[in-house]
Amino acid sequence: MRVGVFKFSSCDGCQLAFFELEEELLRLSEKVQIQYFLEASSKNTWDYFDLVFVEGSVSTPEEEERIKKIRESSRFLVAIGACAVSGGIQSARNFEDFSEIYFSVYSGRYEVNPLSKPLSDFVKVDLEIRGCPINKEALREVLIALLQGKSPQLPSYPVCLECKRKGNPCVVVAKGLICLGPITVAGCGALCPTFERGCYGCYGPVEKPNLQALLEGYSRLRVSQDLLKELLRISFNGYNKSIREWL
């Protein structure tokens, strides 16, 4: 299997999951040939890939063209992490005055798009690995499943279910904290609620999240609609297609 790993606008953090799987990738080296991975190798070949992993959002005209070229030269494309899936923390600017933010940081003009968008706004994405960053277990699951010709089994249920399975007291009920767990995809092991903090929404929204019900629930804690929107905008996944219009 010919594999490519590509990076767009992001912090590089999701690519580190490949290094965490270093020993397993070595064992799979007869079946998996990583032909393009700039962060890991100085020798890279861009021909045709059976499988590509793409980290980062599309934030420049050059990236718009590059993601289309990658799609054309790959059979199966996996978006990895919140930036690739939802536009990332940088998509918080999508809800603000872009020029005002831009010139508060830069004095010169650079080729930057006003909006930071997920890959799926430009090309077909075959699979998403959620997280900020992704974890190696999810990456291993995808690699092994695709090698075996199976469908990867990744969580689609909310973080609340992980909390229940771990026996965590609900931080909303017990502590009155704001928690995005009811609408956030599981996969982190309910990390923040386990340490008595509300979920930040790193893994992005579940399919068809009931935002109105979440708002009604939090109105009892005197959480305003504006505050809930602000939390979602800075949740690394604010420009996800499932919630962007509500924001």
Side-chain angles (χ1 to χ4, degrees):
M1 178 182 288
R2 294 162 295 183
V3 175
V5 183
F6 293 86
K7 168 196 153 49
F8 284 64
S9 296
S10 62
C11 70
D12 289 23
C14 290
Q15 294 174 84
L16 296 181
F18 288 89
F19 297 103
E20 294 176 347
L21 287 180
E22 181 179 19
E23 293 185 1
E24 289 162 271
L25 287 174
L26 287 173
R27 287 198 294 271
L28 294 171
S29 59
E30 291 185 358
K31 298 180 179 179
V32 176
Q33 295 86 44
I34 298 181
Q35 298 186 336
Y36 192 98
F37 190 178
L38 291 180
E39 189 161 305
S41 176
S42 57
K43 295 182 179 179
N44 294 280
T45 302
W46 186 334
D47 188 6
Y48 186 82
F49 302 98
D50 298 301
L51 171 64
V52 295
F53 295 92
V54 184
E55 173 190 319
S57 68
V58 177
S59 299
T60 69
E62 183 275 332
E63 289 179 339
E64 288 185 23
E65 295 304 314
R66 187 153 50 97
I67 189 59
K68 293 174 184 175
K69 182 180 176 183
I70 291 170
R71 178 71 272 189
E72 290 172 358
S73 55
S74 60
R75 184 173 62 84
F76 199 89
L77 188 151
V78 181
I80 58 173
C83 296
V85 171
S86 305
I89 187 62
Q90 58 270 32
S91 69
R93 74 173 187 253
N94 297 0
F95 305 96
E96 305 292 339
D97 184 317
F98 173 72
S99 295
E100 181 179 346
I101 294 175
Y102 180 90
F103 288 109
S104 69
V105 178
Y106 303 107
S107 58
R109 289 189 176 276
Y110 301 94
E111 290 290 328
V112 180
N113 293 344
L115 301 179
S116 170
K117 296 182 177 181
L119 307 183
S120 59
D121 275 32
F122 300 91
V123 297
K124 177 189 175 187
V125 172
D126 299 303
L127 184 70
E128 297 174 345
I129 301 179
R130 300 291 191 92
C132 183
I134 65 169
N135 63 60
K136 67 177 183 180
E137 288 75 20
L139 178 60
R140 180 194 296 116
E141 165 64 21
V142 170
L143 269 174
I144 299 299
L146 294 180
L147 276 172
Q148 296 174 343
K150 301 178 180 177
S151 297
Q153 299 299 308
L154 298 176
S156 58
Y157 47 82
V159 171
C160 289
L161 187 53
E162 285 189 322
C163 262
K164 293 292 184 184
R165 287 172 173 170
K166 297 185 73 171
N168 290 341
C170 176
V171 296
V172 179
V173 175
K175 294 183 173 296
L177 298 179
I178 301 173
C179 178
L180 296 179
I183 63 161
T184 300
V185 172
C188 63
L191 182 61
C192 291
T194 298
F195 288 93
E196 301 184 349
R197 302 190 66 173
C199 168
Y200 290 95
C202 304
Y203 277 58
V206 295
E207 185 178 7
K208 298 180 181 180
N210 192 337
L211 295 168
Q212 191 57 40
L214 185 69
L215 178 61
E216 291 174 5
Y218 279 137
S219 66
R220 304 187 190 101
L221 300 177
R222 298 182 179 180
V223 175
S224 69
Q225 182 169 331
D226 288 343
L227 176 56
L228 183 57
K229 286 186 175 182
E230 180 67 17
L231 292 173
L232 290 169
R233 287 171 182 170
I234 61 174
S235 71
F236 316 113
N237 291 277
Y239 209 64
N240 188 285
K241 290 180 179 177
S242 298
I243 60 174
R244 68 173 65 159
E245 291 186 4
W246 193 80
L247 301 183

